[in-house]
Amino acid sequence: MLTIGVDIGGTKVAAGVVDDHGEIVEHTLRPTAADRPDVVAETVADVVRELSEGRRIEAVGVGAAGFVDETRSMVRFAPNLAWREEPLQKKISGLVGLPVVVENDANAMAWGETRFGAGRGQSHVACLTLGTGIGGGLVFDGALYRGRWGMGAELGHMQVLPGGRPCGCGNIGCWEQYASGQSLVKEARRIAEAEPERARTLLGLAGGKIEGEEVTEAARLGDEASLAAFASLADWLGQGMADMAAILDPGCFIVGGGVSRAADLFIDRAREAFAERLTGRGHRPLAEIRLAELGASAGVVGAADLARQR
């Protein structure tokens, strides 16, 4: 059975035809207009029509960055797209004439990794996507946990530091302000400004503006400020996972997203921080912390499989 998975981000739509083994048969990518909801729906319909040509497609799964309601049909709010109470499922289904399931994009990624990636064989999985912020998805007893209104697992918005940094969600001190790509850059900039002698390599690479790519490159060259920024990210990541384990007790954490491409610079320290800060440590099994395996295709694969299992 073939289904189509679509992953809608703030700047692009990625889509693919996926078989029941989680393999992508064909893939395509389109830019999208984040400020025009109707154009986004039309773009999704266009890629579905393109990928459907000459194939029997059973259903379409759409991963959307935002709060998806409990019926998996409406995007109530999206921070990086102009969706407000957007009936996305109805619009796309009407345009393509196929059954459509809408899911939060991090949930789709978590499902893809659990079914076909790093979480294979695990029944209790907490998935983290480290990018600009922190996305999350939970799979318990082999099913996605969505919460009462479909808006669960917004893990990046746990408050970890009262009175801390302001967050785009409207709160302060959220986890993603300390363990994400944007937090890595902020910490590196802070250290470079306060102690420029520790950031000579970073400042030389950045040429005036420090971004994540320069922080990663400088850290691999031994830059003290960049290594300290990664250490801070790792400590906060381990702390947050320990807090999650106290409540959720997953058997496995999966860490993905763009920041995970630099995992060699922080994942071991994050594992150590997790073990050191885990409640009941020494008297309970230690959850594994694995790196995601499916990369950028996880959301497409997961959305397609969720449509198959609708």
Side-chain angles (χ1 to χ4, degrees):
M1 178 190 295
L2 296 177
T3 54
I4 290 175
V6 183
D7 188 3
I8 305 175
T11 60
K12 65 183 184 302
V13 170
V17 179
V18 182
D19 66 19
D20 51 12
H21 300 291
E23 296 292 331
I24 296 178
V25 176
E26 187 177 346
H27 185 268
T28 190
L29 193 68
R30 299 276 185 88
T32 190
D35 58 342
R36 300 177 63 189
D38 288 339
V39 173
V40 174
E42 287 284 359
T43 301
V44 173
D46 284 345
V47 298
V48 169
R49 293 186 196 106
E50 175 189 325
L51 293 172
S52 298
E53 192 170 346
R55 298 185 175 96
R56 181 180 175 184
I57 302 297
E58 299 292 333
V60 178
V62 178
F67 289 171
V68 178
D69 75 349
E70 70 274 22
T71 67
R72 294 192 291 167
S73 60
M74 179 179 291
V75 183
R76 295 202 175 276
F77 170 77
N80 298 313
L81 289 154
W83 285 333
R84 303 294 184 269
E85 309 299 327
E86 177 70 11
L88 195 60
Q89 186 270 343
K90 183 177 180 180
K91 281 187 177 181
I92 295 172
S93 183
L95 289 168
V96 301
L98 288 168
V100 174
V101 170
V102 178
E103 187 58 77
N104 170 268
D105 61 340
N107 281 354
M109 177 266 187
W111 186 254
E113 285 289 345
T114 301
R115 286 272 290 144
F116 304 108
R120 285 188 304 273
Q122 294 281 336
S123 60
H124 291 72
V125 178
C127 227
L128 303 171
T129 58
L130 308 185
T132 303
I134 298 178
L138 303 173
V139 178
F140 289 142
D141 288 326
L144 267 175
Y145 176 79
R146 297 183 177 88
R148 168 61 182 85
W149 291 286
M151 301 175 193
E154 288 291 336
L155 306 177
H157 298 290
M158 297 189 299
Q159 189 182 56
V160 297
L161 188 62
R165 296 170 182 165
C167 183
C169 74
N171 284 332
I172 56 174
C174 289
W175 190 23
E176 70 174 38
Q177 295 302 314
Y178 302 91
S180 65
Q182 65 173 329
S183 73
L184 176 74
V185 172
K186 285 179 181 177
E187 183 67 5
R189 289 174 178 170
R190 184 191 68 77
I191 298 171
E193 184 176 349
E195 303 173 81
E197 69 280 358
R198 298 181 65 199
R200 290 189 184 122
T201 302
L202 175 59
L203 292 168
L205 289 170
K209 187 173 183 183
I210 295 171
E211 299 292 354
E213 186 176 337
E214 288 80 23
V215 178
T216 300
E217 185 178 353
R220 292 201 169 114
L221 293 172
D223 181 79
E224 286 186 25
S226 301
L227 288 168
F230 270 108
S232 175
L233 180 147
D235 289 344
W236 279 109
L237 182 60
Q239 176 69 66
M241 288 191 291
D243 291 345
M244 287 175 59
I247 302 168
L248 301 171
D249 192 29
C252 174
F253 288 93
I254 297 174
V255 178
V259 177
S260 71
R261 291 195 292 269
D264 58 300
L265 294 168
F266 69 85
I267 198 66
D268 287 341
R269 181 162 177 152
R271 289 183 177 120
E272 291 169 6
F274 170 72
E276 289 168 0
R277 299 168 191 186
L278 184 64
T279 182
R281 57 192 173 276
H283 302 283
R284 61 185 293 169
L286 200 63
E288 288 187 70
I289 299 174
R290 303 177 178 177
L291 294 176
E293 294 179 2
L294 300 183
S297 65
V300 168
V301 171
D305 196 61
L306 288 166
R308 180 177 297 108
Q309 302 198 27
R310 70 194 183 283

